[in-house]
Amino acid sequence: MSGLYFHIPFCRKACVYCDFHFSTSLATKDWVLAAMRTELRTRIAELKGAALGSIYFGGGTPSLLSPKELSTFLDETRSLARIEADAEITIEANPDDISAAVLAGWRGVGITRVSLGIQSFREERLQWMGRAHNAEQSLRAIEQVANAGFSSWTIDLIYGLPGMDLTEWDEQLTIALEHGMPHLSAYCLTVETRTALHKQVLTGRIVPSNDEDQAAQFEHGIARVAEVGLVQYEISNFGKRGHFAKHNTSYWQGIPYLGIGPSAHSYDGVERRWNVANNVRYALGVEGSGLFWEKESLTPAQRINERLLTGLRTMWGVDIASLGEAFRKVNAKTIQHYLALNELEERNGHLILTPKGKNFADRIASDLFMPTT
Ligand code: SF4
C-alpha cells in the first residue's frame, strides 16, 4: 500500500501562525494545477505498482478548488494507478467553503473524508489568528459535514493559545464533542520562525502560553475526549475505532508516499524528496526550466530515528526488532532509564510511551536516536 498527497498551495488569507507553503494570490492557480497533473503523470511510476490506500488533498486550502478541479486529479490518478476499494480520500477544508452543494460535489467525485480546519469557536480568537471564517460558519460547517454522508470526518482545534486557560479549552472541547465527531485533531500552538506570530512574540506584542499551561490543556483534552470514546492513537489525534486517519497513520508507520505539488514531500522507504516551496519555480521546473526538487538518501541510522520520532507518537509504538540489534545495544541504558521513570513501556516487543511519557515524546525519541555520523 502507498499514499498519495496533493499540496494545493493557495489560501484566501494568511493565518498568523502558519508556516506551510501557500500563496494568497490565485493568479497562477490554473498553471500550478496543470503542472501538478503533469508531475503526477511523470512520477506515478515511483509507486512501483503499489495500490493506493489513501489520497490526501492538503495545503494550503484544497477546498478552494471546485469539485470539477478535484475530479481532474482523481480521474487522472484512477487512470494511472490502482486505488484500493476502501481507500481513504481526504480533503482539508475551511468552514467558509462549505455548502450543501459543495459537499454533494465532493461526494460525487469520490472524496470519503473531510477534515475541517475549525481551530476555535471563539470569534475573537479566529480574528486574531487571521482565519477566513467566523464562529458561526464553524458551527454550520460541522453540522453540514456531519450530515453529508461521508465515511468519516474530523475537525482541527488549537490549544495553548496566548492567554488561554483551562476554562476556555474546556469550553472549546465541549462545543466540539457535543457534535459527536468520529475524529478530532488537537494541536498545541507553536511559534514557528518566519511567521507573523513570531514577529509579534519578538516585539513583545504577544506573550506565548507557557509549558505548564500547555501540558495541563494537553492532559485535559485527553481526559475529555476519552469520556466520549475517542482513542488517542497519536499524540495529537483522537478517533473512534474504524475512524483513525489512514493517510497520516501511514506516514507515522513509515509507509511510502508520493507527494505532488509545490513544497510536497515524498518518501519511498529509503529516499526523501521535497519540491521547491515556490509556485512559479515549481511550475517552471515541471515544464523543464530548472530543477524543482531536492532529495536525500536516508542512512540506516536516519531511518531508525525517523521511525522513533513518528512511531513513538502513536499508540502502537515502535517494533524494537525492526530497529535492529545495534539499537538495543546502544540504547539499553536509555531504555531502562525511561522504563524506570514510567515514561516508556515495553509491550509485545514494542516500545510505547506511557501517558506520562506522552508529555515528552520528542525528547524521549531524540534520546533514543542512533548516532548518524
Ligand atoms: S488556511 Fe491553513 S494553510 Fe492557509 S494560512 Fe491558514 S493555516 Fe496556513
Side-chain angles (χ1 to χ4, degrees):
M1 186 192 92
S2 283
L4 177 62
Y5 174 77
F6 291 108
H7 187 86
I8 309 299
F10 301 99
C11 291
R12 283 210 172 78
K13 287 178 75 182
C15 300
V16 71
Y17 53 82
C18 181
D19 75 339
F20 294 132
H21 168 64
F22 65 92
S23 164
T24 51
S25 163
L26 301 187
T28 59
K29 186 171 89 134
D30 290 348
W31 184 34
V32 170
L33 297 186
M36 288 174 63
R37 287 189 290 273
T38 303
E39 188 193 6
L40 175 67
R41 284 192 293 276
T42 314
R43 298 186 58 206
I44 198 74
E46 292 176 32
L47 292 174
K48 300 187 178 94
L52 289 168
S54 64
I55 301 175
Y56 195 100
F57 290 95
T61 307
S63 53
L64 281 176
L65 302 195
S66 67
K68 192 159 182 283
E69 285 169 318
L70 291 166
S71 77
T72 62
F73 286 101
L74 292 171
D75 290 347
E76 190 88 54
T77 306
R78 288 184 192 106
S79 74
L80 296 166
R82 281 185 303 127
I83 302 178
E84 289 176 359
D86 63 346
E88 174 193 273
I89 305 180
T90 301
I91 183 167
E92 287 180 352
N94 279 351
D96 46 310
D97 291 323
I98 299 295
S99 69
V102 161
L103 294 172
W106 289 348
R107 284 205 61 198
V109 301
I111 301 287
T112 65
R113 181 172 181 271
V114 177
S115 173
L116 272 176
I118 299 293
Q119 319 310 356
S120 175
F121 295 101
R122 284 197 177 184
E123 199 62 50
E124 69 277 12
R125 290 292 194 187
L126 293 171
Q127 282 176 17
W128 172 76
M129 291 179 196
R131 301 288 304 179
H133 69 278
N134 60 36
E136 193 190 323
Q137 287 171 318
S138 291
L139 292 171
R140 200 168 48 232
I142 287 178
E143 268 161 34
Q144 289 181 305
V145 170
N147 294 310
F150 291 96
S151 304
S152 195
W153 60 283
T154 180
I155 72 165
D156 287 357
L157 288 179
I158 301 181
Y159 64 94
L161 295 169
M164 184 183 240
D165 58 17
L166 269 185
T167 306
E168 179 183 345
W169 180 226
D170 188 64
E171 166 208 276
Q172 299 297 300
L173 291 164
T174 299
I175 297 170
L177 298 177
E178 64 191 18
H179 288 88
M181 70 256 323
H183 188 284
L184 168 74
S185 299
Y187 298 106
C188 186
L189 183 73
T190 49
V191 182
E192 306 287 355
T193 53
R194 297 196 310 271
T195 60
L197 176 60
H198 188 232
K199 280 195 200 110
Q200 292 181 17
V201 170
L202 288 179
T203 55
R205 279 179 58 205
I206 288 289
V207 178
S209 137
N210 61 46
D211 290 352
E212 292 73 36
D213 285 348
Q214 291 179 359
Q217 287 163 31
F218 173 68
E219 294 204 346
H220 188 68
I222 293 170
R224 284 295 316 272
V225 298
E227 286 167 10
V228 297
L230 297 185
V231 176
Q232 186 186 23
Y233 68 102
E234 195 267 350
I235 296 273
S236 307
N237 286 280
F238 308 83
K240 290 188 179 154
R241 301 270 174 194
H243 291 271
F244 298 170
K246 255 194 194 181
H247 189 79
N248 290 344
T249 301
S250 66
Y251 288 157
W252 302 321
Q253 295 184 335
I255 292 170
Y257 57 90
L258 182 61
I260 300 294
S263 82
H265 284 232
S266 305
Y267 180 60
D268 67 1
V270 178
E271 279 187 345
R272 192 168 34 200
R273 166 177 157 155
W274 58 99
N275 288 344
V276 64
N278 178 296
N279 290 356
V280 171
R281 281 175 56 205
Y282 166 79
L284 285 173
V286 172
E287 288 174 354
S289 307
L291 194 62
F292 66 96
W293 50 269
E294 293 177 72
K295 69 176 178 182
E296 67 174 349
S297 259
L298 299 188
T299 63
Q302 284 174 318
R303 292 209 291 275
I304 288 174
N305 297 347
E306 293 242 326
R307 289 285 300 117
L308 288 164
L309 204 55
T310 53
L312 274 183
R313 293 177 62 90
T314 69
M315 63 187 267
W316 306 282
V318 180
D319 178 358
I320 303 170
S322 75
L323 303 178
E325 202 42 46
F327 171 80
R328 248 232 201 264
K329 282 196 189 123
V330 170
N331 280 298
K333 270 193 189 155
T334 313
I335 292 171
Q336 281 310 319
H337 169 73
Y338 283 116
L339 291 175
L341 285 176
N342 189 31
E343 292 179 5
L344 205 55
E345 65 178 312
E346 200 174 327
R347 203 182 334 134
N348 300 329
H350 285 64
L351 283 178
I352 300 171
L353 292 178
T354 64
K356 185 180 166 204
K358 284 177 185 165
N359 284 294
F360 315 109
D362 290 348
R363 169 167 57 73
I364 296 171
S366 66
D367 282 354
L368 291 167
F369 276 0
M370 294 293 279
T372 52
T373 51

